[in-house]
């Protein structure tokens, strides 16, 4: 069984080498490393060139994380595909242990939890929880899948039903869409014992940043709209995510407006550009609820 590791990178040159090395040092006999560089302007491409034929580099113009997922999938030839952010790393032995988890269980995807401690060692034994919430998802429920991009892996047959995905700027449409789609399309497993290191740093695009609070509703809305558009069985979930995102956005706008009024001492309305965007989302949600186009 061949494995493919798809690393997505944008200006993470300072972390790129330890990320790639963590994969190249794996003890699994048959795997490939594909690094998609999403238009970096730092020294990332020089670093990639230094690895020669040990990795396959896909160099593209900047298009966002979702576009990098699509490009990596197009270039991969493995039976099982792993996603990895360029600022994170795999713990020793991860590929072999996840491959064994696929072999032992009839699963379509496997997500392993992450550690944020760089010196953590791989666990002696894995705690694996089989996961099948397809009926819950069809009914509009969204079970907890608390695993970031670098802990995700999929059988090719499953991921081919998810990618290519629509693209969006920043990280608004990215791993949440993939996780919910995978859980809807197949049976999976969650490895409760971490096999991946997630680096928390000042340049994180979402995790541990001050942007997370304002990005979260945008992610919910974009994910919900895409799930409902792509899969008939996820209309209810899509509506729930969009409604929740709108509620959070409205709450944030209200707090923002109140704060401006308090500071300025005068009547200020909501930011015009944000309000226009919110009205457009409300219109799309209305179309969904009426059974029209999203």
């Amino acid at each position: 069984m061949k494995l493919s590791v798809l690393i997505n990178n944008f200006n993470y040159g300072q972390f790129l080498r330890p990320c790639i090395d963590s994969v190249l040092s794996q003890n699994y006999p048959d795997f490939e490393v594909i690094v998609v560089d999403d238009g970096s302007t730092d020294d990332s491409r020089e670093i990639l060139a230094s690895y020669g034929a040990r990795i396959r580099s896909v160099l593209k113009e900047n298009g966002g994380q979702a576009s990098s997922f699509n490009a990596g999938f197009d270039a991969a030839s493995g039976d099982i595909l792993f996603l990895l952010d360029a600022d994170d790393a795999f713990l020793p032995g991860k590929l072999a242990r996840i491959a064994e988890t696929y072999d032992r269980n009839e699963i379509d995807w496997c997500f392993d939890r992450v550690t944020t401690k760089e010196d953590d060692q791989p666990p002696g034994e894995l705690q694996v929880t089989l996961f099948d919430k397809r009926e819950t998802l069809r009914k509009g429920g969204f079970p907890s899948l608390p695993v970031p991009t670098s802990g995700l892996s999929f059988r090719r047959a499953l991921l081919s039903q998810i990618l290519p995905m629509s693209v969006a700027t920043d990280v608004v449409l990215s791993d949440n869409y993939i996780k919910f789609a995978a859980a809807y399309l197949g049976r999976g497993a969650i490895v409760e014992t971490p096999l991946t290191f997630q680096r928390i740093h000042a340049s994180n695009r979402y995790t541990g940043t001050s942007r997370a609070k304002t990005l979260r509703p945008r992610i919910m809305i974009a994910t919900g709209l895409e799930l409902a558009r792509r899969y008939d069985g996820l209309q209810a979930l899509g509506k729930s995510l969009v409604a929740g995102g709108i509620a959070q956005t409205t709450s944030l706008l209200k707090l923002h407006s109140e704060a401006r009024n308090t500071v300025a001492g005068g009547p200020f309305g909501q930011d015009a550009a944000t309000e226009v965007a919110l009205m457009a989302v409300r219109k799309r949600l209305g179309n969904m609820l009426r059974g029209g186009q999203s």
Side-chain angles (χ1 to χ4, degrees):
M1 180 166 62
K2 183 178 181 179
L3 311 181
S4 297
V5 180
L6 314 181
I7 300 174
N8 70 92
N9 175 68
F10 175 66
N11 284 343
Y12 276 166
Q14 60 181 318
F15 310 120
L16 188 54
R17 197 173 292 280
C19 172
I20 295 173
D21 290 347
S22 77
V23 183
L24 291 177
S25 63
Q26 295 286 314
N27 59 357
Y28 190 80
D30 187 13
F31 68 93
E32 63 181 0
V33 181
I34 297 170
V35 185
V36 179
D37 185 79
D38 192 34
S40 292
T41 56
D42 62 0
D43 61 347
S44 290
R45 296 196 173 186
E46 288 78 9
I47 293 171
L48 295 180
S50 72
Y51 282 90
R54 289 185 291 166
I55 66 172
R56 179 175 179 185
S57 299
V58 178
L59 310 179
K60 58 185 285 299
E61 294 182 356
N62 182 252
Q65 191 176 40
S67 70
S68 294
F69 292 156
N70 293 342
F73 179 73
D74 284 344
S77 60
D79 304 297
I80 306 293
L81 288 80
F82 294 73
L83 302 184
L84 177 59
D85 287 340
D87 52 340
D88 298 335
F90 286 171
L91 298 188
K94 169 172 171 168
L95 292 186
R97 302 184 83 175
I98 295 296
E100 183 181 5
T101 302
Y102 277 99
D103 281 339
R104 287 186 174 184
N105 304 279
E106 295 181 3
I107 55 174
D108 302 296
W109 54 267
C110 183
F111 302 164
D112 65 282
R113 293 185 184 271
V114 301
T115 177
T116 57
K117 298 178 180 179
E118 191 167 8
D119 58 350
D120 269 4
Q121 296 300 306
E125 295 184 6
L126 298 187
Q127 179 185 346
V128 179
T129 302
L130 296 181
F131 190 100
D132 191 347
K133 301 290 184 181
R134 286 175 283 186
E135 190 58 34
T136 299
L137 286 156
R138 291 188 188 99
K139 293 179 179 178
F142 38 97
S144 177
L145 293 166
V147 178
T149 300
S150 298
L152 308 183
S153 68
F154 314 85
R155 289 194 187 275
R156 169 176 288 278
L158 179 82
L159 199 55
S160 67
Q161 300 176 64
I162 301 172
L163 300 180
M165 61 187 286
S166 296
V167 300
T169 58
D170 210 339
V171 293
V172 174
L173 188 59
S174 54
D175 60 346
N176 277 341
Y177 161 74
I178 296 177
K179 287 189 291 187
F180 282 127
Y184 165 68
L185 293 168
R187 181 173 180 265
I190 295 180
V191 179
E192 308 288 354
T193 37
L195 292 172
T196 301
F197 165 60
Q198 182 182 32
R199 190 186 304 274
I200 305 300
H201 56 89
S203 301
N204 278 125
R205 287 180 246 175
Y206 180 80
T207 304
T209 70
S210 59
R211 304 173 61 216
K213 187 173 183 180
T214 53
L215 272 174
R216 189 175 298 112
R218 293 174 56 201
I219 290 171
M220 291 176 68
I221 291 168
T223 300
L225 289 171
E226 181 67 4
L227 289 170
R229 181 192 70 81
R230 186 80 176 264
Y231 306 104
D232 290 340
L234 291 181
Q235 291 287 319
L237 173 63
K239 293 171 186 176
S240 295
L241 285 170
V242 173
I246 287 176
Q248 288 191 26
T249 302
T250 303
S251 176
L252 288 171
L253 287 171
K254 182 179 179 181
L255 289 172
H256 176 63
S257 181
E258 289 174 351
R260 290 179 63 187
N261 289 342
T262 300
V263 172
F268 293 94
Q270 295 173 344
D271 178 79
T274 305
E275 179 63 13
V276 169
L278 183 58
M279 289 173 62
V281 171
R282 285 174 176 149
K283 180 178 179 181
R284 294 181 73 182
L285 177 61
N287 289 339
M288 287 171 58
L289 294 172
R290 290 190 296 271
Q293 295 294 321
S294 60

